[in-house]
Amino acid sequence: MGADPIGDYVTGLAAALRGPSRTRAEMITEARHSLEDAAAAFEDEGLEPLDARHRAVREFGAHGQVVPGYQAELAAQQGRRTAMWIALALPLVNVLEPLMWWDSPWSAAQHASHLYWVLVDHFKYTSFLAAGIAALVVAGFSWGSRYLRDGVRYTRVVGLGAVTFLGLHGLVGAAVFGLSVYQWPAAATWPPVLVGMTVNTAAFGYAGLLAVRCVQFARTALRNRQAAIA
C-alpha cells in the first residue's frame, strides 16, 4: 500500500463497484468512516498511526471478500429502481395519453382501423398489467427479500424481463404512432402529439437504460461471487 492504506483501500473499493451512483457513494463513504473509526480505536490502544491504519484495513477484509456483498446490494438497488420506475411511469403515461389528442382537428373515430384499436387496447392494458407486476417486484426487493434464495439472480431476472418487455411494448407504441400518422396525417405535426411522443420516448428510453444497467450490475455481482468462491 501507499502512504495512506485507508485511502488506497477505499479507492480500490470504489473502482471495483458498479451500481447506482448515490448508493455506491454512500457505501464507499460508510466504508471509509468505518476504517477511520477502527484506525482511531487501534491508535487508542497504543499502535502507531500508520500501523493502526494498516491493521484497520486488514481486519476490514480484502476487496475479494467485501466486494461481493457490496455489489449484491448495489444490484438489488438497481433492480428496485427499475421496477419502481416502471410501476410509476407506465400508468402516468397512459393517464396523460388522451392529452395528445386534445382539441385535435380530426376525430379519432374517423378512418380508424380495427388493427389500430387492437393495438391501442393492447398497449393500454399491458401497461397497467406491467405496472402491477412491477409493484409486486418492488415488494419482492423490500419485505419479500427475506424469502428470496438468491437476490442477485432475482435482480438479473427482473432486468432481463424489463428489457424484453420494454422492447416489445415500445414496438407496439411505435406501431400505434405510425398508424396514427397514416390515418390522420395532421398528427405528424400536431404539437400535443409531438410533445407526448417526446415524453413517451424519454420515459421508455430511461426505463430501458435502468433495465440494461440492472442486468449489467447483477452480472458483475455474480462474477464477483464466483471469483470469491474460486
Side-chain angles (χ1 to χ4, degrees):
M1 291 188 179
D4 183 10
I6 291 179
D8 292 343
Y9 183 90
V10 172
T11 299
L13 182 62
L17 296 177
R18 299 290 182 273
S21 57
R22 183 175 179 178
T23 304
R24 176 174 168 271
E26 290 174 351
M27 285 183 171
I28 294 168
T29 299
E30 290 176 3
R32 180 185 290 276
H33 288 167
S34 295
L35 288 163
E36 294 287 355
D37 290 344
F42 292 139
E43 282 190 54
D44 291 341
E45 294 177 2
L47 288 180
E48 293 295 325
L50 184 58
D51 292 336
R53 297 175 79 80
H54 275 296
R55 182 174 175 184
V57 168
R58 286 197 305 271
E59 296 201 359
F60 194 81
H63 287 152
Q65 295 174 304
V66 301
V67 165
Y70 280 126
Q71 187 62 53
E73 177 62 24
L74 287 170
Q77 286 293 329
Q78 183 66 27
R80 185 178 185 279
R81 176 182 294 186
T82 302
M84 182 69 75
W85 177 261
I86 292 174
L88 296 177
L90 283 181
L92 183 61
V93 165
N94 278 269
V95 168
L96 296 178
E97 186 272 339
L99 295 177
M100 294 171 61
W101 314 101
W102 178 69
D103 200 29
S104 61
W106 67 90
S107 171
Q110 297 175 345
H111 311 299
S113 66
H114 175 69
L115 176 61
Y116 173 79
W117 292 117
V118 168
L119 291 176
V120 167
D121 289 342
H122 181 276
F123 188 86
K124 178 172 64 177
Y125 294 135
T126 54
S127 292
F128 285 108
L129 176 61
I133 294 174
L136 293 177
V137 169
V138 173
F141 279 113
S142 54
W143 62 265
S145 60
R146 70 189 70 177
Y147 303 108
L148 296 175
R149 294 184 177 181
D150 192 335
V152 174
R153 294 190 184 279
Y154 175 70
T155 301
R156 184 171 181 270
V157 169
V158 169
L160 290 172
V163 169
T164 302
F165 166 75
L166 290 169
L168 296 175
H169 203 54
L171 289 176
V172 175
V176 170
F177 178 70
L179 279 175
S180 298
V181 173
Y182 175 76
Q183 295 170 145
W184 308 291
T189 57
W190 185 241
V193 171
L194 298 179
V195 171
M197 287 304 302
T198 300
V199 172
N200 285 344
T201 301
F204 268 82
Y206 183 65
L209 177 62
L210 291 176
V212 169
R213 288 180 174 175
C214 183
V215 176
Q216 291 175 338
F217 299 158
R219 285 178 176 171
T220 300
L222 289 172
R223 285 197 301 267
N224 289 336
R225 178 194 295 175
Q226 293 169 354
I229 295 174

